[in-house]
Amino acid sequence: VHDDGWFRVTVTVPLEQAELAADLLWGHGTAGVEERPDGAAVALLGGFADGADATAAHRALQGAGLVAELQRLDEAAIASDLDAWRAHATPVEAGGIWLVPPWLAPPDGVDPTDVLVLDPGRAFGSGSHPTTRLVLDLLAARASTAGRVLDVGCGSGVLAVAAARWGAAEVVAIDIDPAAVAATAENAERNGVHDRVRASARPLASVLADEAPFDLVVANLLAPIVRELAPDLIAATAPHGQLIASGLLADRWAEATAALAPLEVAEVAEDDGWVAVVLAHEVAAAHR
Ligand SMILES: C[S@@+](CC[C@H](N)C(=O)[O-])C[C@H]1O[C@@H](n2cnc3c(N)ncnc32)[C@H](O)[C@@H]1O
């Protein structure tokens, strides 16, 4: 499959296999999954910004014995997929903050200081995925005292913008996807924290070349990417700092944290088969 553009992997499964199929789509980097009920079955549509990821997801689904289809989308189909997602979007609460798309109102009674207006566009990070919510929960307890924060794989900018809202002095947000960098900058502006969020497509290694290590590093990436970036993630974490790694599958997270040694695991949080892990250079014995 040619790599440019936008791709859709559709898999139709009996209801009881929907979670497995959705996990395979998320596990291969889909930007979002739409569910269309179809009698006793459900069609899952996964959108991909990367043809290689879409192809890998398609193969994995077929390898699991499921009937899947891979399509390259034209502009009209992209617009209709995005619109379909927009029509189903709802406000999401995580870490005590409400993530609300710009075209919806926050739920009644919610304090405006507890609302982030967030348009993910084509980037990952509406807050509807457990991996994002797990990090927000862990971040909520740390951001106000965090000082300088690095968000690796910022997607929509949800974590970077939340960290700034919660009081981080400065947030460096990076993503290899230019659409994510643009979404992060727009969402920072929308929430009045653009003076403290610097979004760019700089590779992690180049950020490290001219920035001091960070007080808090958040990395909601998939396990293979965490492993690939492990040496730089370790170097990015200040001696007194913490790294929050997410996007790890519950039965396999230890493979990723092993690659992050000498960082040690301080805390593990789990939601719906996904795990986020807090790591530090030296975890006090009492917290092990
Ligand atoms: C699962 S999304 C996380 C988005 C957002 N931070 C959240 O928590 O919802 C992972 C993001 O990492 C980006 N990414 C993948 N590999 C990367 C790399 N080597 N360096 C920086 N970003 C990367 C992807 O483009 C994607 O936007």
Side-chain angles (χ1 to χ4, degrees):
V1 174
H2 190 265
D3 219 36
D4 291 342
W6 194 250
F7 302 83
R8 184 203 283 151
V9 176
T10 307
V11 55
T12 304
V13 288
L15 281 178
E16 60 274 15
Q17 286 186 314
E19 203 166 315
L20 163 74
D23 278 352
L24 286 169
L25 288 167
W26 287 117
H28 286 87
T30 183
V33 178
E34 187 195 333
E35 296 189 10
R36 293 191 188 159
D38 181 7
V42 60
L44 302 177
L45 287 68
F48 289 85
D50 183 308
D53 287 348
T55 306
H58 183 229
R59 287 211 187 103
L61 289 162
Q62 289 184 322
L66 305 175
V67 180
E69 188 195 348
L70 170 61
Q71 284 170 282
R72 180 156 200 269
L73 298 182
D74 58 26
E75 287 299 323
I78 293 169
S80 112
D81 266 23
L82 287 175
D83 287 347
W85 171 80
R86 283 168 183 267
H88 293 119
T90 53
V92 175
E93 190 271 339
I97 208 156
W98 282 88
L99 310 173
V100 183
W103 58 93
L104 293 178
D108 285 346
V110 171
D111 190 310
T113 60
D114 293 334
V115 172
L116 286 187
V117 180
L118 207 83
D119 188 345
R122 285 191 202 170
F124 183 105
S126 64
S128 59
H129 197 255
T131 59
T132 307
R133 293 201 304 270
L134 282 167
V135 184
L136 283 170
D137 278 337
L138 294 164
L139 195 56
R142 293 169 171 82
S144 66
T145 53
R148 292 173 61 252
V149 176
L150 174 66
D151 180 2
V152 184
C154 54
S156 65
V158 52
L159 305 176
V161 173
R165 166 65 66 82
W166 282 324
E170 185 192 12
V171 186
V172 173
I174 57 171
D175 202 295
I176 48 171
D177 176 3
V181 176
T184 298
E186 279 161 26
N187 284 319
E189 176 100 40
R190 213 172 245 129
N191 292 282
V193 294
H194 47 291
D195 56 332
R196 282 178 290 136
V197 175
R198 281 191 281 141
S200 76
R202 294 177 68 193
L204 178 54
S206 114
V207 171
L208 294 182
D210 51 29
E211 298 268 356
F214 293 82
D215 304 301
L216 184 62
V217 180
V218 290
N220 181 11
L221 303 160
L222 297 166
I225 304 174
V226 170
R227 283 205 299 271
E228 183 189 319
L229 296 181
D232 288 340
L233 290 171
I234 297 164
T237 309
H240 62 273
Q242 291 188 323
L243 164 67
I244 303 176
S246 186
L248 312 174
L249 290 170
D251 52 354
R252 293 216 303 261
W253 60 269
E255 294 167 22
T257 54
L260 290 164
L263 291 183
E264 298 176 20
V265 175
E267 192 175 334
V268 181
E270 184 176 343
D271 182 12
D272 205 16
W274 293 91
V275 158
V277 184
V278 182
L279 300 110
H281 285 282
E282 269 183 42
V283 178
H287 292 106
R288 263 180 234 267

mmCIF file of all heavy atoms in Angstrom, residues 123-127 131-132 135 151-159 174-177 180 202-204 220-222 225 228-229 247, ligand 1:
data_model
loop_
_atom_site.group_PDB
_atom_site.id
_atom_site.type_symbol
_atom_site.label_atom_id
_atom_site.label_comp_id
_atom_site.label_asym_id
_atom_site.label_seq_id
_atom_site.Cartn_x
_atom_site.Cartn_y
_atom_site.Cartn_z
ATOM 1 N N ALA A 123 -5.667 14.027 14.487
ATOM 2 C CA ALA A 123 -4.658 13.467 15.394
ATOM 3 C C ALA A 123 -5.328 12.613 16.471
ATOM 4 O O ALA A 123 -6.509 12.769 16.761
ATOM 5 C CB ALA A 123 -3.860 14.594 16.036
ATOM 6 N N PHE A 124 -4.550 11.741 17.075
ATOM 7 C CA PHE A 124 -5.032 10.880 18.158
ATOM 8 C C PHE A 124 -5.124 11.716 19.439
ATOM 9 O O PHE A 124 -4.264 12.540 19.707
ATOM 10 C CB PHE A 124 -4.012 9.765 18.366
ATOM 11 C CG PHE A 124 -4.392 8.739 19.400
ATOM 12 C CD1 PHE A 124 -4.828 7.477 19.024
ATOM 13 C CD2 PHE A 124 -4.304 9.036 20.761
ATOM 14 C CE1 PHE A 124 -5.154 6.532 19.974
ATOM 15 C CE2 PHE A 124 -4.632 8.082 21.715
ATOM 16 C CZ PHE A 124 -5.054 6.834 21.322
ATOM 17 N N GLY A 125 -6.162 11.479 20.243
ATOM 18 C CA GLY A 125 -6.191 12.122 21.553
ATOM 19 C C GLY A 125 -7.438 12.948 21.799
ATOM 20 O O GLY A 125 -7.388 14.110 22.172
ATOM 21 N N SER A 126 -8.615 12.320 21.619
ATOM 22 C CA SER A 126 -9.870 12.997 21.969
ATOM 23 C C SER A 126 -10.172 12.788 23.441
ATOM 24 O O SER A 126 -11.046 13.423 24.000
ATOM 25 C CB SER A 126 -11.023 12.423 21.140
ATOM 26 O OG SER A 126 -11.205 11.060 21.486
ATOM 27 N N GLY A 127 -9.426 11.836 24.047
ATOM 28 C CA GLY A 127 -9.690 11.482 25.444
ATOM 29 C C GLY A 127 -10.598 10.273 25.548
ATOM 30 O O GLY A 127 -10.866 9.787 26.635
ATOM 31 N N THR A 131 -5.833 4.819 27.120
ATOM 32 C CA THR A 131 -4.408 5.161 27.315
ATOM 33 C C THR A 131 -4.246 6.650 27.612
ATOM 34 O O THR A 131 -3.374 7.038 28.384
ATOM 35 C CB THR A 131 -3.556 4.800 26.082
ATOM 36 O OG1 THR A 131 -4.062 5.499 24.945
ATOM 37 C CG2 THR A 131 -3.588 3.324 25.814
ATOM 38 N N THR A 132 -5.068 7.477 26.988
ATOM 39 C CA THR A 132 -5.006 8.920 27.246
ATOM 40 C C THR A 132 -5.527 9.208 28.654
ATOM 41 O O THR A 132 -4.923 9.975 29.411
ATOM 42 C CB THR A 132 -5.884 9.683 26.226
ATOM 43 O OG1 THR A 132 -5.521 9.289 24.907
ATOM 44 C CG2 THR A 132 -5.725 11.193 26.384
ATOM 45 N N VAL A 135 -3.114 8.418 31.519
ATOM 46 C CA VAL A 135 -2.046 9.408 31.727
ATOM 47 C C VAL A 135 -2.619 10.667 32.369
ATOM 48 O O VAL A 135 -1.994 11.253 33.254
ATOM 49 C CB VAL A 135 -1.317 9.758 30.410
ATOM 50 C CG1 VAL A 135 -0.151 10.705 30.694
ATOM 51 C CG2 VAL A 135 -0.806 8.510 29.718
ATOM 52 N N ASP A 151 6.186 16.112 26.350
ATOM 53 C CA ASP A 151 5.129 15.217 25.866
ATOM 54 C C ASP A 151 5.611 14.616 24.547
ATOM 55 O O ASP A 151 5.694 15.301 23.530
ATOM 56 C CB ASP A 151 3.839 16.046 25.672
ATOM 57 C CG ASP A 151 2.669 15.198 25.165
ATOM 58 O OD1 ASP A 151 2.843 13.974 24.995
ATOM 59 O OD2 ASP A 151 1.584 15.774 24.943
ATOM 60 N N VAL A 152 5.956 13.321 24.585
ATOM 61 C CA VAL A 152 6.475 12.645 23.391
ATOM 62 C C VAL A 152 5.319 11.923 22.696
ATOM 63 O O VAL A 152 4.718 11.018 23.261
ATOM 64 C CB VAL A 152 7.572 11.622 23.777
ATOM 65 C CG1 VAL A 152 8.182 11.001 22.515
ATOM 66 C CG2 VAL A 152 8.657 12.280 24.618
ATOM 67 N N GLY A 153 5.006 12.332 21.468
ATOM 68 C CA GLY A 153 3.846 11.773 20.761
ATOM 69 C C GLY A 153 2.595 12.490 21.220
ATOM 70 O O GLY A 153 1.656 11.905 21.744
ATOM 71 N N CYS A 154 2.582 13.821 20.994
ATOM 72 C CA CYS A 154 1.539 14.653 21.635
ATOM 73 C C CYS A 154 0.160 14.497 20.994
ATOM 74 O O CYS A 154 -0.845 14.830 21.615
ATOM 75 C CB CYS A 154 1.968 16.116 21.659
ATOM 76 S SG CYS A 154 2.424 16.766 20.029
ATOM 77 N N GLY A 155 0.086 13.987 19.743
ATOM 78 C CA GLY A 155 -1.227 13.813 19.111
ATOM 79 C C GLY A 155 -2.000 15.122 19.098
ATOM 80 O O GLY A 155 -1.502 16.162 18.651
ATOM 81 N N SER A 156 -3.207 15.110 19.653
ATOM 82 C CA SER A 156 -4.045 16.314 19.709
ATOM 83 C C SER A 156 -3.475 17.380 20.646
ATOM 84 O O SER A 156 -3.937 18.513 20.651
ATOM 85 C CB SER A 156 -5.428 15.933 20.234
ATOM 86 O OG SER A 156 -5.299 15.482 21.577
ATOM 87 N N GLY A 157 -2.495 16.978 21.478
ATOM 88 C CA GLY A 157 -1.956 17.896 22.481
ATOM 89 C C GLY A 157 -2.689 17.798 23.800
ATOM 90 O O GLY A 157 -2.429 18.579 24.726
ATOM 91 N N VAL A 158 -3.551 16.809 23.917
ATOM 92 C CA VAL A 158 -4.395 16.699 25.121
ATOM 93 C C VAL A 158 -3.574 16.700 26.410
ATOM 94 O O VAL A 158 -3.917 17.405 27.376
ATOM 95 C CB VAL A 158 -5.335 15.458 25.022
ATOM 96 C CG1 VAL A 158 -4.587 14.183 24.687
ATOM 97 C CG2 VAL A 158 -6.140 15.269 26.285
ATOM 98 N N LEU A 159 -2.470 15.940 26.432
ATOM 99 C CA LEU A 159 -1.688 15.849 27.678
ATOM 100 C C LEU A 159 -0.908 17.137 27.916
ATOM 101 O O LEU A 159 -0.830 17.633 29.049
ATOM 102 C CB LEU A 159 -0.726 14.652 27.608
ATOM 103 C CG LEU A 159 -1.374 13.293 27.305
ATOM 104 C CD1 LEU A 159 -0.306 12.218 27.170
ATOM 105 C CD2 LEU A 159 -2.375 12.922 28.410
ATOM 106 N N ILE A 174 6.125 17.091 21.246
ATOM 107 C CA ILE A 174 6.648 16.697 19.928
ATOM 108 C C ILE A 174 5.847 15.535 19.355
ATOM 109 O O ILE A 174 5.280 14.715 20.097
ATOM 110 C CB ILE A 174 8.148 16.309 19.982
ATOM 111 C CG1 ILE A 174 8.391 15.176 20.988
ATOM 112 C CG2 ILE A 174 9.005 17.525 20.305
ATOM 113 C CD1 ILE A 174 9.809 14.596 20.927
ATOM 114 N N ASP A 175 5.803 15.485 18.019
ATOM 115 C CA ASP A 175 5.130 14.369 17.333
ATOM 116 C C ASP A 175 5.712 14.279 15.935
ATOM 117 O O ASP A 175 6.037 15.296 15.324
ATOM 118 C CB ASP A 175 3.614 14.605 17.260
ATOM 119 C CG ASP A 175 2.838 13.306 17.078
ATOM 120 O OD1 ASP A 175 2.995 12.651 16.022
ATOM 121 O OD2 ASP A 175 2.092 12.930 18.007
ATOM 122 N N ILE A 176 5.831 13.050 15.423
ATOM 123 C CA ILE A 176 6.363 12.897 14.066
ATOM 124 C C ILE A 176 5.307 13.254 13.024
ATOM 125 O O ILE A 176 5.624 13.419 11.859
ATOM 126 C CB ILE A 176 6.863 11.447 13.806
ATOM 127 C CG1 ILE A 176 5.810 10.430 14.264
ATOM 128 C CG2 ILE A 176 8.178 11.189 14.502
ATOM 129 C CD1 ILE A 176 6.128 9.020 13.838
ATOM 130 N N ASP A 177 4.055 13.379 13.434
ATOM 131 C CA ASP A 177 2.962 13.652 12.500
ATOM 132 C C ASP A 177 2.676 15.166 12.479
ATOM 133 O O ASP A 177 2.269 15.730 13.496
ATOM 134 C CB ASP A 177 1.732 12.861 12.981
ATOM 135 C CG ASP A 177 0.499 13.145 12.141
ATOM 136 O OD1 ASP A 177 0.606 13.901 11.157
ATOM 137 O OD2 ASP A 177 -0.564 12.607 12.479
ATOM 138 N N ALA A 180 -0.524 16.376 13.941
ATOM 139 C CA ALA A 180 -0.576 16.386 15.406
ATOM 140 C C ALA A 180 0.055 17.671 15.950
ATOM 141 O O ALA A 180 -0.458 18.271 16.902
ATOM 142 C CB ALA A 180 0.147 15.157 15.967
ATOM 143 N N ARG A 202 10.076 18.078 15.970
ATOM 144 C CA ARG A 202 11.481 17.723 16.191
ATOM 145 C C ARG A 202 11.594 16.299 16.738
ATOM 146 O O ARG A 202 10.865 15.919 17.654
ATOM 147 C CB ARG A 202 12.103 18.677 17.214
ATOM 148 C CG ARG A 202 12.201 20.103 16.704
ATOM 149 C CD ARG A 202 12.750 20.990 17.789
ATOM 150 N NE ARG A 202 14.135 20.674 18.075
ATOM 151 C CZ ARG A 202 14.786 21.135 19.148
ATOM 152 N NH1 ARG A 202 14.175 21.897 20.037
ATOM 153 N NH2 ARG A 202 16.046 20.835 19.328
ATOM 154 N N PRO A 203 12.561 15.515 16.206
ATOM 155 C CA PRO A 203 12.774 14.182 16.780
ATOM 156 C C PRO A 203 13.238 14.311 18.236
ATOM 157 O O PRO A 203 13.907 15.291 18.592
ATOM 158 C CB PRO A 203 13.889 13.583 15.922
ATOM 159 C CG PRO A 203 13.968 14.432 14.702
ATOM 160 C CD PRO A 203 13.459 15.792 15.077
ATOM 161 N N LEU A 204 12.898 13.323 19.038
ATOM 162 C CA LEU A 204 13.253 13.344 20.456
ATOM 163 C C LEU A 204 14.753 13.583 20.648
ATOM 164 O O LEU A 204 15.167 14.399 21.488
ATOM 165 C CB LEU A 204 12.812 12.020 21.104
ATOM 166 C CG LEU A 204 13.141 11.814 22.568
ATOM 167 C CD1 LEU A 204 12.637 12.961 23.430
ATOM 168 C CD2 LEU A 204 12.547 10.489 23.054
ATOM 169 N N ASN A 220 2.703 8.607 25.663
ATOM 170 C CA ASN A 220 1.629 7.657 25.365
ATOM 171 C C ASN A 220 1.872 7.119 23.964
ATOM 172 O O ASN A 220 1.346 7.625 22.981
ATOM 173 C CB ASN A 220 0.258 8.345 25.470
ATOM 174 C CG ASN A 220 -0.866 7.364 25.194
ATOM 175 O OD1 ASN A 220 -0.631 6.144 25.138
ATOM 176 N ND2 ASN A 220 -2.072 7.872 25.014
ATOM 177 N N LEU A 221 2.757 6.120 23.896
ATOM 178 C CA LEU A 221 3.171 5.532 22.626
ATOM 179 C C LEU A 221 2.898 4.040 22.721
ATOM 180 O O LEU A 221 2.647 3.523 23.797
ATOM 181 C CB LEU A 221 4.669 5.768 22.416
ATOM 182 C CG LEU A 221 5.139 7.228 22.452
ATOM 183 C CD1 LEU A 221 6.628 7.304 22.726
ATOM 184 C CD2 LEU A 221 4.789 7.926 21.145
ATOM 185 N N LEU A 222 2.952 3.353 21.640
ATOM 186 C CA LEU A 222 2.790 1.903 21.735
ATOM 187 C C LEU A 222 4.100 1.277 22.196
ATOM 188 O O LEU A 222 5.170 1.858 22.017
ATOM 189 C CB LEU A 222 2.370 1.351 20.381
ATOM 190 C CG LEU A 222 1.007 1.887 19.928
ATOM 191 C CD1 LEU A 222 0.783 1.594 18.457
ATOM 192 C CD2 LEU A 222 -0.108 1.294 20.782
ATOM 193 N N ILE A 225 7.309 1.381 20.172
ATOM 194 C CA ILE A 225 7.912 2.722 20.037
ATOM 195 C C ILE A 225 8.583 3.114 21.351
ATOM 196 O O ILE A 225 9.645 3.724 21.362
ATOM 197 C CB ILE A 225 6.853 3.760 19.594
ATOM 198 C CG1 ILE A 225 6.195 3.287 18.302
ATOM 199 C CG2 ILE A 225 7.478 5.132 19.406
ATOM 200 C CD1 ILE A 225 5.033 4.146 17.844
ATOM 201 N N GLU A 228 11.844 1.378 21.268
ATOM 202 C CA GLU A 228 12.755 2.003 20.300
ATOM 203 C C GLU A 228 13.330 3.310 20.857
ATOM 204 O O GLU A 228 14.504 3.615 20.684
ATOM 205 C CB GLU A 228 11.941 2.271 19.035
ATOM 206 C CG GLU A 228 12.700 2.841 17.876
ATOM 207 C CD GLU A 228 11.706 3.263 16.776
ATOM 208 O OE1 GLU A 228 10.736 2.514 16.532
ATOM 209 O OE2 GLU A 228 11.900 4.359 16.215
ATOM 210 N N LEU A 229 12.488 4.093 21.535
ATOM 211 C CA LEU A 229 12.926 5.403 22.039
ATOM 212 C C LEU A 229 13.503 5.316 23.452
ATOM 213 O O LEU A 229 13.884 6.346 24.025
ATOM 214 C CB LEU A 229 11.743 6.385 22.048
ATOM 215 C CG LEU A 229 11.110 6.750 20.697
ATOM 216 C CD1 LEU A 229 9.987 7.750 20.898
ATOM 217 C CD2 LEU A 229 12.152 7.339 19.744
ATOM 218 N N GLY A 247 0.085 3.377 26.726
ATOM 219 C CA GLY A 247 -0.127 2.702 25.446
ATOM 220 C C GLY A 247 0.376 1.271 25.490
ATOM 221 O O GLY A 247 0.643 0.649 24.471
HETATM 222 C C1 LIG B 1 -1.321 7.029 21.027
HETATM 223 S S1 LIG B 1 -1.015 8.612 20.322
HETATM 224 C C2 LIG B 1 -1.003 9.627 21.801
HETATM 225 C C3 LIG B 1 -1.642 10.994 21.606
HETATM 226 C C4 LIG B 1 -1.834 11.804 22.902
HETATM 227 N N1 LIG B 1 -0.559 12.088 23.553
HETATM 228 C C5 LIG B 1 -2.727 11.065 23.864
HETATM 229 O O1 LIG B 1 -2.253 10.674 24.939
HETATM 230 O O2 LIG B 1 -3.916 10.862 23.566
HETATM 231 C C6 LIG B 1 0.703 8.432 19.893
HETATM 232 C C7 LIG B 1 1.304 9.566 19.078
HETATM 233 O O3 LIG B 1 2.708 9.333 18.974
HETATM 234 C C8 LIG B 1 3.171 9.764 17.712
HETATM 235 N N2 LIG B 1 4.459 9.107 17.465
HETATM 236 C C9 LIG B 1 4.692 7.853 17.012
HETATM 237 N N3 LIG B 1 6.022 7.619 16.957
HETATM 238 C C10 LIG B 1 6.650 8.732 17.410
HETATM 239 C C11 LIG B 1 8.026 9.117 17.598
HETATM 240 N N4 LIG B 1 9.020 8.273 17.300
HETATM 241 N N5 LIG B 1 8.297 10.348 18.060
HETATM 242 C C12 LIG B 1 7.294 11.211 18.351
HETATM 243 N N6 LIG B 1 5.975 10.912 18.198
HETATM 244 C C13 LIG B 1 5.659 9.693 17.729
HETATM 245 C C14 LIG B 1 2.032 9.428 16.785
HETATM 246 O O4 LIG B 1 2.087 10.218 15.604
HETATM 247 C C15 LIG B 1 0.793 9.713 17.659
HETATM 248 O O5 LIG B 1 0.318 11.028 17.449
#
